[in-house]
Amino acid sequence: MLTALLWLAVLCPTPQAGTAAPRPYSAPLSPRPTVVTGFDAPEKRWQRGHRGVDLAAAPGVPVAAAGAGRVRFAGRVAGRPVISVQHPDGVITTYEPVDAAVDEGDHVSRGELIGTLVAGHPGCPVPACLHWGARRGVGRDAEYLNPLGLLGAVRVRLKPLKPGPPP
């Protein structure tokens, strides 16, 4: 257990008082929305899963870029309006169904309007849901991420290590 705690301290050092670095990402809806469907990555990339989170909202609300970057895609996929933004850290965030207010190639700032939410996300239990996704890489190399982790909203739980022979 001590080893696990030491690794956590190395990977996530505690900031000095008043020196916490600002997060490069913020929620794409304001006020911060309710998650109605969580992230559920499949065990194998070709299996079923929910590769993002669904955020409850009303049709027509503004959708903001979660972080600064370049609009990688703004168009329709399978008949639904989708926007994706490539960020400098290699993360690509996706927003669906969103009528775009931006064009492919545009540079956007964190919090900048990129479009408006429309109704029609399959499985949404409220008037409208923003499906917000995040990944690193593309195609077969894509690693899907829980976008809530970009906000620091994912809990990390430590599991005790099995006792073994002393080092």
Side-chain angles (χ1 to χ4, degrees):
M1 175 111 152
L2 180 59
T3 305
L5 290 174
L6 289 174
W7 273 109
L8 181 65
V10 170
L11 296 173
C12 306
T14 305
Q16 300 298 320
T19 63
R23 293 202 179 278
Y25 294 97
S26 57
L29 298 175
S30 185
R32 198 161 179 175
T34 300
V35 176
V36 293
T37 309
F39 180 79
D40 182 23
E43 205 170 297
K44 306 244 192 265
R45 65 178 310 287
W46 60 85
Q47 293 175 329
R48 258 189 182 173
H50 193 249
R51 294 165 177 87
V53 294
D54 291 340
L55 306 174
V61 301
V63 177
R70 183 184 56 81
V71 177
R72 181 180 163 89
F73 179 81
R76 296 185 96 63
V77 175
R80 292 191 293 267
V82 177
I83 300 170
S84 65
V85 176
Q86 172 84 51
H87 304 283
D89 62 1
V91 170
I92 298 168
T93 53
T94 58
Y95 311 81
E96 171 192 340
V98 177
D99 277 333
V102 292
D103 293 312
E104 190 173 315
D106 287 352
H107 288 272
V108 294
S109 301
R110 182 179 97 180
E112 183 177 333
L113 174 75
I114 59 171
T116 55
L117 183 65
V118 296
H121 182 62
C124 178
V126 294
C129 287
L130 172 66
H131 179 80
W132 182 36
R135 70 180 189 270
R136 281 191 199 284
V138 293
R140 293 179 186 263
D141 296 327
E143 172 194 4
Y144 287 88
L145 310 168
N146 184 339
L148 297 178
L150 301 175
L151 307 177
V154 176
R155 287 191 184 153
V156 175
R157 296 178 191 240
L158 297 177
K159 293 184 178 182
L161 298 174
K162 292 182 181 179

